[in-house]
């Protein structure tokens, strides 16, 4: 995982609109998940999700580190005590995006409530755009993406699509000390850029902002 001062990055990030912020290269993308220690340690030991990890429940991934920090309380919420950086094959992440269906009805995309409900029932990927947050937990105008996985997609994610898994819990705790002191000048975060969704149809359906 590559890190960089937060204040350098926030100056480059779009201030508003729907954007996928992520750390990626030509072959891979990092997404984050927070789990109880038993699930996280199994994944770190074996390099895939198993043990108490449930394939019958929807599991949410977030490519944006600060969005994960907001949701997990900087790795302090019950059941989210350990934060994992999961490096996926980029082709797999693109496949997840291509299958995503909005969690709420979007008329220009689905045309009718019935069509949306049918897509929602048959898709293995749920899409949500939520307000992004700054390190202190304050809402910003930009929207952050999270993706819920289930069924076949979750099964493939949990084993086949993972390149490696890294425990970033200690890093999160260290950086939170800067946040508590309002010392954003010392805050380090994973290097993230706007992820390019090259399939224009997928990008339009997801509602990604045009830069």
């Amino acid at each position: 995982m590559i890190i960089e001062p937060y204040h350098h990055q926030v100056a480059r990030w779009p201030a508003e609109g729907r954007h996928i912020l992520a750390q990626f290269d030509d072959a891979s993308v990092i997404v984050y998940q927070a789990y109880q220690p038993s699930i996280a340690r199994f994944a770190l030991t074996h390099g895939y999700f198993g043990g108490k990890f449930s394939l019958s429940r929807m599991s949410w991934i977030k490519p944006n580190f600060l969005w994960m920090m907001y949701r997990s309380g900087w790795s302090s919420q019950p059941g989210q005590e350990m934060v994992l950086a999961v490096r996926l094959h980029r082709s797999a992440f693109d496949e997840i995006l291509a299958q995503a269906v909005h969690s709420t009805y979007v008329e220009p995309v689905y045309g009718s409530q019935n069509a949306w409900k049918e897509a929602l029932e048959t898709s293995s990927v749920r899409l949500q755009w939520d307000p992004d947050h700054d390190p202190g937990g304050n809402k910003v105008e930009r929207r952050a993406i999270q993706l819920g996985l289930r069924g076949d997609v979750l099964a493939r994610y949990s084993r086949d699509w993972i390149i490696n898994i890294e425990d970033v819990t200690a890093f999160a705790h260290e950086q939170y000390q800067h946040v508590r002191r309002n010392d954003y000048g010392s805050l380090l975060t994973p290097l993230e850029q706007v992820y390019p969704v090259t399939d224009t149809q997928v990008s339009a359906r997801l509602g990604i902002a045009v830069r």
Side-chain angles (χ1 to χ4, degrees):
M1 187 175 68
I2 303 170
I3 59 175
E4 186 177 80
Y6 164 75
H7 68 277
H8 289 176
Q9 298 198 68
V10 71
R12 297 195 303 262
W13 292 338
E16 59 184 15
R18 295 176 174 181
H19 302 277
I20 301 174
L21 291 180
Q23 182 165 137
F24 60 92
D25 55 31
D26 290 344
S28 66
V29 182
I30 292 177
V31 299
Y32 299 95
Q33 293 196 285
Y35 285 111
Q36 59 179 274
S38 60
I39 293 176
R41 288 173 181 150
F42 182 101
L44 290 165
T45 299
H46 296 86
Y48 63 88
F49 289 101
K52 293 184 179 180
F53 180 83
S54 175
L55 291 173
S56 61
R57 297 176 56 190
M58 184 166 284
S59 185
W60 292 86
I61 60 173
K62 302 167 180 64
N64 179 328
F65 177 78
L66 287 177
W67 179 229
M68 183 75 261
M69 293 302 98
Y70 169 73
R71 293 295 294 177
S72 68
W74 288 85
S75 186
S76 68
Q77 297 293 334
Q80 301 186 71
E81 298 91 348
M82 293 184 68
V83 177
L84 305 179
V86 183
R87 186 178 296 275
L88 302 179
H89 292 285
R90 184 164 172 172
S91 57
F93 186 68
D94 288 339
E95 183 172 339
I96 290 170
L97 293 177
Q99 294 192 41
V101 173
H102 295 77
S103 59
T104 56
Y105 176 55
V106 181
E107 184 176 2
V109 175
Y110 303 101
S112 70
Q113 289 273 358
N114 287 338
W116 166 67
K117 289 178 180 178
E118 182 178 350
L120 202 61
E121 290 174 0
T122 57
S123 174
S124 294
V125 182
R126 189 77 52 85
L127 161 69
Q128 284 188 192
W129 289 105
D130 298 288
D132 207 346
H133 292 73
D134 69 14
N138 303 299
K139 288 183 181 180
V140 300
E141 292 299 316
R142 184 179 58 250
R143 291 273 169 163
I145 197 172
Q146 60 175 336
L147 298 154
L149 313 181
R150 66 180 182 181
D152 177 63
V153 169
L154 180 58
R156 295 167 72 191
Y157 164 80
S158 66
R159 285 180 175 261
D160 302 337
W161 289 344
I162 295 172
I163 298 173
N164 59 57
I165 303 174
E166 182 179 353
D167 182 2
V168 296
T169 308
F171 173 76
H173 291 168
E174 290 167 2
Q175 298 311 310
Y176 184 54
Q177 300 311 307
H178 301 307
V179 174
R180 293 182 62 187
R181 295 192 294 266
N182 291 316
D183 181 14
Y184 290 2
S186 299
L187 177 64
L188 300 175
T189 55
L191 174 62
E192 294 179 355
Q193 303 176 66
V194 174
Y195 184 81
V197 180
T198 56
D199 187 316
T200 55
Q201 289 186 334
V202 172
S203 179
R205 184 167 51 77
L206 296 179
I208 291 174
V210 178
R211 299 188 71 189

